[in-house]
C-alpha cells in the first residue's frame, strides 16, 4: 500500500456495521457478536462505530422489525468494548424520540446522526438543538437523496447546519448513484455549508467505493463504510476496500489496515450468514431508486394457502413482454 505524507488530507471513516448491518439479519445480532466486532474495530483504530437497530434508536417494533436486544443492551455492550473508538447512534424522528437521544447520551454516545427524508430537514431541528444541549456531537443526514436535486440537497443541508449540525450530508439509500451524480451533489453541499460533509453509499449498482471516492474528491471528509459491506440489500460501501483505496490515493484515515482486515474477518465469521451480493432484486431496486431495506417485502409476499409470489417483475419491464409475478 502506498504510504501517505503528513500533508495528506484526512478523511474520517464512520463505521455503521453494527447498525446498518442489522437490516441484513432482521436486527437479530446477539450481545457477544456486537462486543466482538466492536473490540476488533477499536483495535483497528476505526474513529467511530455506530450501533443500534437498522432503522435507528426507538425503531424496534412490529411494523419494521423487533430487535433481539433493546437499545439499552446494545448501547451498554458496545460502550464497554470501546476504549479509543467513539460510539455513534442514528435516529429518524418519528421512529425515535428525544427521550431515546437522552438515553443514548446517558449510555455514553459520543455522536448522534439525525436522519430525514431528503426534502424534510425541518424535522431534525428539535433533535439537533437537543444534542447540543446534551454535549453530544450532532450530525444531520438526508435519506433517499437521489430524489432531490443538488440545489435542494444543498439548501436542506444548510438548514441543518444552521440548527447546530456539526456535519451534514447525504445517504445513497437506494444505491442509485453513479460517480458523476455524487460529484454534483457533494460539490453543491460543500459550497453551501462550512461544516464537514458526509457521504454514505450503498452498493446496488456496484459503485459504492467509486461513489465514495467521488465524494471525497468533491470535498466530503466523512465517509461511511461497513465491514465486508454488511448492510441492507446489496450492502454498503465495503469498509476495508474503501480504506485501502483511500490510502492508495494518498488520503489519511488513521486506521490500522492489518487490524482492519482482522475486524472484517470477524464480521464475516460472526455477524453475517454470507457477505452481501448484488442479486437481481438489489440491482433492480438500485435502478428503480427503491430503498434497499425493502428487498424482502419486494421479493416475497405471503398469500392465502402459504403461496409466495415474487414481485420482481413489477419493478422492471422488458419491451414486448408482459411481466407477471410467477409462483
Amino acid at each position: 500500500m502506498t504510504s501517505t505524507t503528513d500533508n495528506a488530507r484526512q478523511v474520517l471513516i464512520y463505521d455503521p456495521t453494527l447498525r446498518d448491518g442489522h437490516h441484513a439479519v432482521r436486527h437479530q445480532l446477539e450481545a457477544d457478536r456486537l462486543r466482538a466486532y466492536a473490540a476488533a474495530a477499536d483495535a483497528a483504530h476505526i474513529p467511530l462505530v455506530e450501533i443500534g437497530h437498522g432503522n435507528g434508536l426507538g425503531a424496534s417494533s412490529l411494523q419494521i422489525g423487533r430487535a433481539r436486544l433493546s437499545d439499552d443492551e446494545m448501547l451498554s455492550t458496545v460502550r464497554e468494548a470501546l476504549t479509543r473508538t467513539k460510539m455513534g447512534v442514528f435516529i429518524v424522528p418519528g421512529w425515535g424520540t428525544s427521550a431515546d437521544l437522552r438515553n443514548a447520551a446517558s449510555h455514553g454516545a459520543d455522536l448522534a446522526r439525525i436522519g430525514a427524508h431528503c426534502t424534510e430537514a425541518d424535522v431534525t431541528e428539535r433533535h439537533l438543538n437537543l444534542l447540543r444541549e446534551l454535549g453530544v456531537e450532532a450530525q444531520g443526514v438526508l435519506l433517499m437523496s437521489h430524489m432531490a436535486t443538488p440545489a435542494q440537497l444543498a439548501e436542506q443541508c444548510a438548514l441543518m447546519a444552521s440548527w447546530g449540525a456539526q456535519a451534514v450530508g447525504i445517504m445513497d439509500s437506494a444505491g442509485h448513484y453513479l460517480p458523476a451524480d455524487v460529484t454534483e451533489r457533494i460539490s453543491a453541499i460543500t459550497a453551501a455549508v462550512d461544516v464537514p460533509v458526509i457521504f454514505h453509499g450503498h452498493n446496488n449498482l456496484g459503485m459504492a467505493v467509486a461513489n465514495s471516492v467521488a465524494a471525497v474528491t468533491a470535498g466530503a471528509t466523512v465517509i461511511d463504510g461497513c465491514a465486508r459491506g454488511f448492510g441492507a440489500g446489496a450492502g454498503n460501501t465495503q469498509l476495508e476496500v474503501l480504506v485501502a483505496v483511500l490510502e492508495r490515493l494518498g488520503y489519511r484515515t488513521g486506521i490500522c489496515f492489518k487490524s482492519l482486515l482482522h475486524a472484517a474477518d470477524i464480521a464475516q465469521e460472526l455477524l453475517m450468514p454470507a457477505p452481501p451480493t448484488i442479486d437481481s432484486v438489489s440491482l433492480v431496486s438500485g435502478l428503480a431508486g427503491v430503498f434497499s431495506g425493502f428487498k424482502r417485502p419486494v421479493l416475497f409476499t405471503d398469500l392465502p394457502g402459504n403461496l409466495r409470489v415474487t414481485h420482481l417483475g413489477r419493478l422492471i419491464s422488458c419491451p414486448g413482454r408482459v411481466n407477471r409475478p410467477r409462483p
Side-chain angles (χ1 to χ4, degrees), residues 281-295:
V281 173
S282 296
L283 179 57
V284 171
S285 69
L287 288 172
V290 176
F291 171 51
S292 298
F294 291 138
K295 175 180 175 179

Side-chain angles (χ1 to χ4, degrees), residues 209-232:
V209 171
N211 286 340
S212 297
V213 171
V216 171
T217 303
T221 56
V222 182
I223 305 294
D224 290 4
C226 292
R228 290 289 191 271
F230 189 42

Side-chain angles (χ1 to χ4, degrees), residues 267-303:
Q268 182 170 341
E269 179 182 350
L270 296 182
L271 304 184
M272 60 194 79
T277 60
I278 306 174
D279 61 17
S280 297
V281 173
S282 296
L283 179 57
V284 171
S285 69
L287 288 172
V290 176
F291 171 51
S292 298
F294 291 138
K295 175 180 175 179
R296 290 184 183 278
V298 167
L299 183 58
F300 291 114
T301 298
D302 286 321
L303 296 177

Side-chain angles (χ1 to χ4, degrees), residues 184-214:
E184 188 177 16
R185 284 157 176 79
I186 294 296
S187 296
I189 294 168
T190 56
V193 301
D194 295 322
V195 297
V197 173
I198 303 160
F199 179 74
H200 172 107
H202 280 257
N203 203 41
N204 297 64
L205 301 182
M207 303 301 294
V209 171
N211 286 340
S212 297
V213 171

Side-chain angles (χ1 to χ4, degrees), residues 15 21 96 103 168 185 203 296 311 314:
D15 178 0
N103 184 54
V168 296
R185 284 157 176 79
N203 203 41
R296 290 184 183 278
H311 292 267
R314 295 184 184 177

Side-chain angles (χ1 to χ4, degrees), residues 119-185:
T119 57
E120 298 173 1
D122 56 311
V123 304
T124 69
E125 181 177 6
R126 177 184 299 179
H127 295 76
L128 290 169
N129 288 332
L130 173 61
L131 289 171
R132 302 306 298 272
E133 294 174 12
L134 295 172
V136 175
E137 183 175 346
Q139 297 186 353
V141 288
L142 300 174
L143 315 180
M144 297 295 289
S145 60
H146 69 282
M147 299 181 71
T149 67
Q152 288 174 317
L153 295 173
E155 179 182 12
Q156 296 290 301
C157 283
L159 286 173
M160 292 190 292
S162 73
W163 295 325
Q166 294 158 278
V168 296
I170 57 176
M171 290 190 173
D172 183 16
S173 307
H176 184 69
Y177 285 144
L178 299 178
D181 303 319
V182 175
T183 297
E184 188 177 16
R185 284 157 176 79

